[in-house]
Amino acid sequence: MIGTGDTWLIYNGASGSHDEARLEALVEGLTAAGRPPARVIDCKDDTPDADAANTAGLSLIVIHGGDGTLSRTIGKLEGFGGAVLPLPGGTFNLLARQIFGERDPLEIVDLLGSGGLTTRRRTCIRGEGVLALSELLAGPGAKWADVREEMREANLTEVIAKGWDAAATSTVGPMVALAEPPSGREDGYAGLRLCPTAQGIEIEGYAAEGLGDYLQQGIAILKRDFREGPHDELGLAPRVSCRSLDGAPVPLMVDGERSEGGSQLTFSLDTLDCDLLGPADER
């Protein structure tokens, strides 16, 4: 159940996918659904945390943005006593697609108005200073995210040129090996992709040559994705440890956002301390 307190709508005005007309339509849709936003907040200016949301007596926070925006904002809302509705508003929208499939934001808001949503607690991945709601990529392949951001406004020629360079530079090292559970290639991977599931952390390994070949083919460049490339299925585990084979810091891509980790990293499956809304008939 969703409480009767106020609703806030948070969006990312700095996103390349932001659309003022879509934002206005969301406000209208939420109003029609009986949840008129008391505040509409651009997260580049202000992002409330759980304390602020609880103090304001909110019952619903709606977030429209890409995976990075959703991850950052929801991470700050752990401990919030209300519900959070994540709406797709970015490039990949992994979290929103996992929850709502291919529904667009206005379809999801319609479900809210018809009572077709319910709260649930999702699994997540935690590490030192890391919270991943959809996926985490550890290894030099994570540098692809840097190029992807630079290419948001590029033309096709620049996309291919920069993407080719990314393929060459992001897969040469330091390779990352899976230490726990002991599995995969001894010479490591250009990317270890970790995804939280109810059964455990799903582990995939992208070898340097495979990821490089895939990017150079232009498939991932045009899609701005690598996930369909060749990879090793390395199983499920509640805890994952990996290490840089040459002791260097490990590049990370966490829910689409770039960061850097130590030379040895450990991640664990956990439950997010925040209620997210999803379709009531798709448990």
Side-chain angles (χ1 to χ4, degrees):
M1 293 289 295
I2 307 173
T4 57
D6 281 348
T7 296
W8 285 0
L9 170 61
I10 299 173
Y11 70 99
N12 184 0
S15 169
S17 303
H18 174 64
D19 184 327
E20 283 292 335
R22 174 53 62 95
L23 181 64
E24 292 177 8
L26 285 175
V27 172
E28 293 174 1
L30 287 167
T31 301
R35 293 285 176 173
R39 288 186 64 190
V40 179
I41 303 169
D42 188 339
C43 69
K44 74 177 189 298
D45 300 322
D46 179 29
T47 305
D49 59 14
D51 288 342
N54 289 330
T55 299
L58 304 182
S59 62
L60 176 64
I61 294 179
V62 181
I63 309 169
H64 181 241
D67 288 303
T69 298
L70 293 176
S71 184
R72 288 191 305 274
T73 307
I74 292 172
K76 291 182 65 175
L77 289 171
E78 284 200 282
F80 172 45
V84 173
L85 176 59
L87 298 178
T91 305
F92 293 118
N93 302 310
L94 294 177
L95 179 64
R97 288 171 65 184
Q98 289 167 8
I99 298 173
F100 296 106
E102 299 303 321
R103 293 181 178 94
D104 70 26
L106 295 178
E107 289 180 277
I108 298 169
V109 170
D110 285 344
L111 280 178
L112 174 69
S114 66
L117 301 182
T118 190
T119 58
R120 64 193 67 183
R121 290 287 172 105
R122 291 180 58 85
T123 56
C124 61
I125 296 173
R126 294 191 195 274
E128 186 175 354
V130 170
L131 171 65
L133 304 185
S134 299
E135 69 170 6
L136 182 153
L137 188 73
K143 295 177 182 178
W144 173 246
D146 295 335
V147 180
R148 187 186 66 194
E149 289 302 311
E150 293 173 2
M151 294 192 305
R152 284 192 186 275
E153 303 301 326
N155 62 41
L156 183 58
T157 301
E158 291 173 331
V159 166
I160 293 174
K162 290 184 178 180
W164 187 285
D165 182 63
T169 60
S170 68
T171 59
V172 295
M175 295 296 108
V176 175
L178 184 62
E180 180 187 347
S183 183
R185 298 165 52 130
E186 291 185 2
D187 56 348
Y189 293 93
L192 286 172
R193 182 177 180 237
L194 312 179
C195 300
T197 74
Q199 295 74 37
I201 299 175
E202 184 179 68
I203 311 166
E204 298 173 348
Y206 291 79
E209 63 274 15
L211 183 58
D213 289 347
Y214 186 63
L215 293 175
Q216 288 177 2
Q217 288 168 8
I219 300 172
I221 293 168
L222 296 178
K223 289 188 174 183
R224 301 182 184 181
D225 199 2
F226 60 85
R227 298 170 185 85
E228 296 178 12
H231 60 273
D232 296 340
E233 301 283 350
L234 302 176
L236 291 165
R239 176 183 168 96
V240 174
S241 294
C242 58
R243 62 185 180 87
S244 168
L245 290 181
D246 68 358
V250 176
L252 298 174
M253 183 175 72
V254 181
D255 291 331
E257 299 289 303
R258 272 279 286 121
S259 62
E260 202 87 0
S263 61
Q264 299 187 48
L265 301 168
T266 298
F267 304 102
S268 300
L269 189 71
D270 200 3
T271 300
L272 184 70
D273 185 18
C274 185
D275 286 330
L276 301 189
L277 287 168
D281 59 351
E282 296 179 19
R283 282 192 172 276

